Amino acid sequence: MEVKWNKLNVELSASTMKTIKSMKFKTMTPVQAACIPLLLSNKDVAAEAVTGSGKTLAFVIPMLELLQKRSEKLKRHEVGGIIISPTRELATQTSQVLAQFLSKVDNLTQMLLVGGNSVASDVEKFRANGANILIATPGRLEDLLTRRTDINLPAAVKSLELLVLDEADRLLDLGFEKTLTTILQYLPRQRRTGLFSATQTKELGQLVRAGMRNPVLIAVQEKNNKSVGTKTNETEVSTPMTLENYYTICEPEDKLATLIGFLKSQGNHQKYMLFFSTCACVDYFATVLKELISDLQIFGIHGKMKDKRYKVFNSFRKATSGVLICTDVMARGVDIPEVHWVIQYDPPSSAASFVHRCGRTARIGNHGSALVMLLPTEDAYVDFIYRNQKVRLTELRVPSPAANVTSRVRSLQLKDRAVMDKALRAFVSHIQAYAKHECNVILRLKDLNFGKLAMGFGLLKLPKMPELRGKDVSDFKEADVDFNSITYKDSQREQVRQSKLKVYKETGVWPKSQQAAKRPSCKQTEPWALSKQHKLEKKDKRDKRKAKKKQQLETGVPKRKRKKCISQEDIDELAKDIALIKKLKKKKISQEEFDSQFGEEEDDTL
């Protein structure tokens, strides 16, 4: 469905139409055509639309129109619109889109409230300049609403016209449910609410009921028309029609070499987003690819980078070519111009994440391609993703793997111990993430060839981890090198390591760091799956106890009184023992004195 902006059944202001024309959007997307008239006619809207369908303009335009058409113009410190985004990248991107419209609108201002700068600076900025539209991440907005001493934001939001929850399902995935509940308590009920997401979930339905009044539910699905003989096979798809989805099967030891061969075959004038499951993998492979690929700029970004994250994101947006290596922190909502390929180095933890990752390309009518790299044991994922997400994958014959990749990666580790540490952390984190996979029926940890996988990571040696106990790792060839001889390029780190190495050679025990020494001795580690089973068993026991107590209250069965089996004399004796133990810990008495006194007291009590 294509509708021209001037044919919309509501009249938009001249400034809005001028901005739309400058952005070269001749027609509206289906979600824009459906949502804009409803929000402008005082309706609450819950919209579900495929990623890259133009949801941002679907709420930015009605927000501006509502604020401009108010009978009483907003004062400097009155907030008429709030947009809540799950990540600072998405919030920043929305702010940039809104800025294009506000440049042609008088007397309306915006403010971006995200992490990375202090809360105090945001407070001072709002007090000095005010803002009519707030674009915020949930945590920062909650902080400002609950502050009582230096800002009165609850009073400022009493004029709220429209609240928007962007990527609402992601807000809940990231655990912001309680934060959103707190925020909603401060907002006026007489407002419009827009909830925009790529998928609808049960939790999202609960949020709709809690924060919206009789919402209009909109689901915009794309149709995939493929002719079969004389009949038309029409199915709903969850990715844009202009997106080509591919998969390739490669051996675990050749996976990195296959990736490099593919990137080199595509040329150095394209932009790629390369997804990994963990932050440690992003750190390691960003370091490796910077050394192995000289023709492309390599960027690395993940959720633990904090302040540096936005600088990297902005640099990649401005770049004409390059590879952004990232985690799922970049899988939702962010709009990066002209991404040609989305590459998933391994399947994501959930089927929904697969769709969101792919949606970083082929946005708003542009063409793009996506590739997922699978192991021979993961071929069932192709059918799974079609049945679960209606995404049809076509096999792509990629070029031959690049030569000597493993030896080159190992040489990098031999030159700098920091790279070896990153490699080991990446491998461990990858195995642990794989064990937590949502699709663990077809992507099973026990099917992995750990030896070949470690070779694919270019490891010099295998790490000590419970998941490798009893596994066949005969395909792994450990590097023939004295690992203690591998040094850090960072002279300060190397100096610390050498001092510890000296102690180790003298005592046979590697000294703990100061932080580790303060911590109590840890119990032996266990595989994640076993740890999860133990947690579930404990939870089951707690639930049974709660159910039993509830039943007793409902039936009126009195609780059994516990017998008093501890006398005052026993309590006094216990207090003496505790005092004695404390003296030993503070080294006020020797171990012999402790044994003697403790033994005498035991003899007296017998």
Side-chain angles (χ1 to χ4, degrees):
M1 179 182 70
E2 288 190 353
V3 180
K4 291 187 177 181
W5 289 98
N6 56 5
K7 298 294 183 182
L8 192 65
N9 57 2
V10 290
E11 187 176 348
L12 300 180
S13 63
S15 61
T16 298
M17 291 301 298
K18 189 175 180 180
T19 307
I20 291 169
K21 188 177 291 186
S22 68
M23 296 170 80
K24 298 179 181 179
F25 292 135
K26 295 181 180 179
T27 59
M28 287 181 286
T29 64
V31 70
Q32 292 164 358
C35 292
I36 292 173
L38 288 170
L39 287 170
L40 290 176
S41 59
N42 301 325
K43 300 287 186 183
D44 283 359
V45 171
E48 174 192 0
V50 296
T51 184
S53 57
K55 292 190 287 288
T56 303
L57 290 189
F59 58 77
V60 164
I61 289 173
M63 179 175 286
L64 289 170
E65 292 297 304
L66 288 169
L67 299 185
Q68 289 180 85
K69 292 175 181 177
R70 276 175 57 99
S71 55
E72 294 183 15
K73 298 299 180 184
L74 290 170
K75 297 177 183 176
R76 191 173 62 172
H77 286 85
E78 284 186 313
V79 177
I82 294 177
I83 302 169
I84 300 178
S85 300
T87 65
R88 67 182 73 173
E89 286 81 14
L90 181 53
T92 303
Q93 179 180 288
T94 304
S95 176
Q96 291 169 349
V97 172
L98 182 60
Q100 295 182 60
F101 285 89
L102 291 179
S103 64
K104 296 178 174 63
V105 177
D106 296 328
N107 303 320
L108 281 180
T109 59
Q110 66 153 318
M111 184 173 175
L112 181 65
L113 302 173
V114 296
N117 56 318
S118 67
V119 178
S121 64
D122 283 341
V123 169
E124 189 59 36
K125 187 177 178 181
F126 183 80
R127 290 175 65 183
N129 304 320
N132 306 124
I133 300 172
L134 299 180
I135 303 172
T137 47
R140 181 53 57 93
L141 183 58
E142 183 188 26
D143 283 344
L144 293 175
L145 284 170
T146 53
R147 288 174 78 94
R148 296 290 186 184
T149 54
D150 47 7
I151 190 174
N152 189 7
L153 194 59
V157 300
K158 286 183 178 179
S159 303
L160 187 68
E161 291 282 347
L162 176 60
L163 167 68
V164 172
L165 301 177
D166 193 12
E167 297 291 347
D169 51 342
R170 181 63 173 161
L171 287 168
L172 297 178
D173 288 344
L174 292 174
F176 288 124
E177 188 173 355
K178 288 184 179 179
T179 302
L180 291 173
T181 303
T182 303
I183 291 170
L184 290 173
Q185 291 172 356
Y186 286 93
L187 304 182
R189 292 187 178 182
Q190 297 299 319
R191 66 170 193 271
R192 300 164 188 81
T193 303
L195 188 148
F196 292 81
S197 112
T199 55
Q200 292 286 350
T201 63
K202 181 181 177 182
E203 292 78 9
L204 207 58
Q206 294 171 354
L207 186 61
V208 168
R209 289 192 292 273
M212 308 178 81
R213 296 174 295 121
N214 300 320
V216 178
L217 302 178
I218 296 171
V220 178
Q221 298 285 352
E222 293 204 19
K223 299 290 182 181
N224 184 16
N225 298 317
K226 291 190 177 180
S227 297
V228 182
T230 57
K231 296 181 180 179
T232 300
N233 183 25
E234 186 180 84
T235 58
E236 291 183 352
V237 294
S238 52
T239 56
M241 290 297 300
T242 53
L243 173 63
E244 298 290 336
N245 287 289
Y246 300 101
Y247 76 95
T248 188
I249 304 289
C250 47
E251 294 295 332
E253 68 272 29
D254 295 328
K255 202 169 189 181
L256 180 58
T258 302
L259 171 67
I260 293 170
F262 173 77
L263 291 174
K264 288 185 174 180
S265 71
Q266 294 296 313
N268 56 2
H269 299 294
Q270 299 197 51
K271 291 177 83 169
Y272 307 84
M273 289 184 72
L274 176 59
F275 282 94
F276 286 90
S277 298
T278 68
C279 300
C281 284
V282 170
D283 281 337
Y284 172 56
F285 284 99
T287 302
V288 167
L289 289 177
K290 282 177 184 177
E291 296 294 331
L292 299 182
I293 301 177
S294 57
D295 298 335
L296 283 168
Q297 265 190 293
I298 305 296
F299 305 83
I301 191 168
H302 57 71
K304 294 181 180 178
M305 290 176 69
K306 305 300 179 185
D307 300 346
K308 189 181 175 184
R309 211 166 84 189
Y310 176 68
K311 292 179 182 178
V312 175
F313 171 68
N314 205 33
S315 297
F316 182 68
R317 286 200 62 173
K318 293 177 180 178
T320 55
S321 63
V323 182
L324 179 65
I325 304 173
C326 54
T327 58
D328 282 339
V329 74
M330 299 297 292
R332 301 292 294 267
V334 293
D335 188 17
I336 299 174
E338 297 178 358
V339 172
H340 301 92
W341 279 92
V342 167
I343 304 171
Q344 304 188 57
Y345 197 77
D346 39 48
S349 60
S350 69
S353 295
F354 180 92
V355 172
H356 293 302
R357 285 178 173 187
C358 294
R360 295 316 94 211
T361 184
R363 297 183 67 79
I364 316 181
N366 294 321
H367 288 269
S369 305
L371 172 68
V372 59
M373 303 179 71
L374 302 174
L375 303 178
T377 56
E378 298 170 340
D379 57 346
Y381 190 77
V382 176
D383 183 60
F384 166 80
I385 208 68
Y386 173 69
R387 292 175 182 275
N388 192 282
Q389 294 292 320
K390 298 293 184 283
V391 178
R392 193 181 296 278
L393 301 178
T394 305
E395 186 170 8
L396 181 68
R397 299 294 178 184
V398 296
S400 300
N404 303 320
V405 169
T406 301
S407 60
R408 291 171 67 190
V409 171
R410 283 186 160 187
S411 67
L412 289 174
Q413 298 177 56
L414 292 171
K415 291 176 185 176
D416 187 0
R417 193 179 189 88
V419 181
M420 185 181 79
D421 292 344
K422 286 182 179 181
L424 291 169
R425 281 196 295 268
F427 181 77
V428 170
S429 69
H430 173 77
I431 297 297
Q432 291 174 342
Y434 205 89
K436 302 174 188 178
H437 212 291
E438 182 187 83
C439 315
N440 53 19
V441 175
I442 58 174
L443 304 178
R444 299 182 299 180
L445 190 66
K446 66 179 183 179
D447 291 339
L448 290 179
N449 185 317
F450 291 96
K452 289 184 176 182
L453 190 64
M455 291 299 294
F457 272 71
L459 299 189
L460 296 175
K461 63 176 182 177
L462 287 172
K464 293 179 180 179
M465 57 188 300
E467 285 80 2
L468 295 184
R469 289 187 197 134
K471 298 294 190 299
D472 179 14
V473 291
S474 57
D475 290 311
F476 179 74
K477 296 176 183 177
E478 187 172 289
D480 185 14
V481 63
D482 178 10
F483 294 107
N484 286 329
S485 67
I486 303 173
T487 60
Y488 287 107
K489 272 189 177 181
D490 186 329
S491 57
Q492 191 173 354
R493 287 187 71 181
E494 181 56 25
Q495 188 178 353
V496 172
R497 191 185 76 88
Q498 287 295 337
S499 63
K500 290 183 177 181
L501 186 60
K502 184 178 178 182
V503 174
Y504 172 72
K505 288 178 178 178
E506 292 173 354
T507 64
V509 179
W510 190 268
K512 294 181 180 179
S513 64
Q514 291 182 355
Q515 291 181 342
K518 292 177 182 178
R519 293 194 296 265
S521 58
C522 300
K523 62 180 182 180
Q524 189 177 15
T525 57
E526 59 183 4
W528 180 87
L530 191 59
S531 175
K532 183 179 179 182
Q533 183 183 344
H534 290 162
K535 286 180 181 178
L536 290 173
E537 288 173 356
K538 287 180 182 179
K539 184 178 181 298
D540 188 48
K541 287 180 181 178
R542 286 197 303 269
D543 292 342
K544 284 180 179 178
R545 285 199 299 269
K546 287 180 182 178
K548 189 175 180 181
K549 286 180 181 179
K550 186 178 179 182
Q551 187 179 8
Q552 286 177 342
L553 289 171
E554 290 175 351
T555 57
V557 177
K559 295 180 181 178
R560 288 186 298 174
K561 292 184 178 179
R562 294 182 179 178
K563 294 180 180 180
K564 292 182 179 179
C565 56
I566 301 177
S567 65
Q568 185 61 42
E569 187 179 352
D570 293 332
I571 293 172
D572 293 339
E573 289 293 331
L574 184 61
K576 288 180 183 179
D577 292 344
I578 292 170
L580 203 60
I581 292 168
K582 285 183 178 178
K583 284 182 180 180
L584 177 65
K585 283 188 175 181
K586 293 179 180 179
K587 297 183 179 179
K588 290 183 178 180
I589 59 173
S590 66
Q591 183 68 45
E592 292 179 359
E593 290 173 324
F594 173 81
D595 293 337
S596 175
Q597 293 182 43
F598 199 81
E600 286 175 5
E601 290 176 5
E602 283 189 307
D603 291 340
D604 291 339
T605 58
L606 289 175

